[in-house]
Each structure stands twice: as structure tokens, then as C-alpha cells.
Amino acid sequence: MSNGRGRLHEAMIEGACRAYQTKGRAYILKVPEPFRVITKNRGRGIATVQFTAHAQPDFVGVLKDGRAIAFEAKHTDTDKLHQRVVTPTQAAALQKISDLGGIAGVVAGIGDEYFFIPWEIFGNMKRYYGRQYVTAADVDEYKVKFDGVIWFLDYMNKKKQGG
């Protein structure tokens, strides 16, 4: 995923987060990436960004019913979203939240379709799909509403909603 496309994907999620907060459905925040800027060759003003820790899930919060929610935001312009796009550190955090009764998953964009894939499914693709990637057709039951904002709590197929 290109950096610009990733930022757009997250911005469309943040729009839903603001609306869900206004409606009293959830309070969900974007987690800042842990990094520091290192200046090299001070005379020329060259700087690089160094990540200081493995990133945690992209978004965390709480739903109106008191359950925790955490998820990664991932987008691909191809027809396949690979499991490896979630780092081991992010996967461990999502698994812990899921194990404790929270809502955990991946807000996925595959082409121009959007999904909230539960962590149980995303983290166990091999078991559910026989491979370590999914296509839009594979996860159609997790499709969410999209109108310029990714309504990740609002499934299209009337699936039981997390919030």
C-alpha cells in the first residue's frame, strides 16, 4: 500500500470515528506511530525518520456497551490482502484484546470495497481459507458501508455488529 493511499484509508476511518463519537456509539482514537527524527549531515539539513518500537494497532477505543475495540487499517489496490501486512506485535495485541472479550480486527480496503474483518478470521486465514491472503469475495460477509467514510461498525449484510 502506498503511503498516501494508507493515509487516505485512515482518514476515511477517522471520519467514522468522529461520527460514532458524536452519536455516542464509540470513542475510538488513532494511535500515533512511535518514531523519532534523526538529523544527519546537519549542514545540509538531511533528516530521516526512525521507528523506535514495533507499532501497536492503528486504532483503539471503547464502544458504548463498554467493550474495548482495537483494529488495524490496511488497504491494497490489488485483489489480495495478505495476512503478513499485520506485524507480529500488532497481531499479539489484537489477539490479547480479542481473548479478553474486546472487538479486534482489521478494517480492510480491497480495491474499492471495505470490510471489518474480525481478528479470529484475519489472524487464522490459513484455517478458514486454506491460504494466507483474502480476496473481497472471501470476506463479503464482513463488508461495511462506505460513502466516502468507512463505516466499520455498520456491516452491509446485517451481520451481528460490534457496536
Side-chain angles (χ1 to χ4, degrees):
M1 165 172 61
S2 73
N3 198 14
R5 181 63 184 213
R7 282 194 303 271
L8 176 61
H9 185 71
E10 289 178 353
M12 292 186 300
I13 293 168
E14 286 178 296
C17 290
R18 286 188 297 275
Y20 290 144
Q21 181 178 348
T22 299
K23 294 175 182 178
R25 287 185 67 189
Y27 181 65
I28 302 167
L29 299 171
K30 170 77 176 93
V31 175
E33 295 285 338
F35 70 92
R36 65 180 173 184
V37 176
I38 300 172
T39 304
K40 294 180 180 179
N41 197 339
R42 294 180 194 272
R44 296 164 86 189
I46 299 171
T48 60
V49 173
Q50 177 183 36
F51 289 91
T52 58
H54 293 290
Q56 293 299 312
D58 290 325
F59 291 84
V60 297
V62 65
L63 301 175
K64 184 177 182 174
D65 66 8
R67 288 180 294 168
I69 184 170
F71 55 89
E72 270 298 297
K74 299 296 179 188
H75 187 275
T76 181
D77 288 323
T78 72
D79 63 345
K80 298 175 184 170
L81 183 61
H82 291 267
Q83 187 177 26
R84 69 177 176 259
V85 299
V86 175
T87 70
T89 302
Q90 293 163 336
L94 292 169
Q95 187 63 54
K96 286 177 187 174
I97 289 163
S98 180
D99 289 347
L100 291 169
I103 303 295
V106 175
V107 175
I110 303 174
D112 61 355
E113 297 182 86
Y114 299 92
F115 310 86
F116 188 112
I117 307 169
W119 182 249
E120 168 61 26
I121 303 299
F122 196 91
N124 295 290
M125 286 182 193
K126 185 82 168 162
R127 179 182 339 145
Y128 289 97
Y129 304 106
R131 51 188 149 68
Q132 293 182 317
Y133 68 86
V134 292
T135 65
D138 292 330
V139 294
D140 186 64
E141 67 182 299
Y142 304 110
K143 191 171 186 175
V144 295
K145 295 177 184 177
F146 174 74
D147 61 5
V149 169
I150 302 170
W151 298 101
F152 57 90
L153 294 179
D154 298 304
Y155 286 105
M156 296 285 295
N157 296 323
K158 304 300 180 202
K159 187 163 187 55
K160 184 178 182 214
Q161 297 182 22

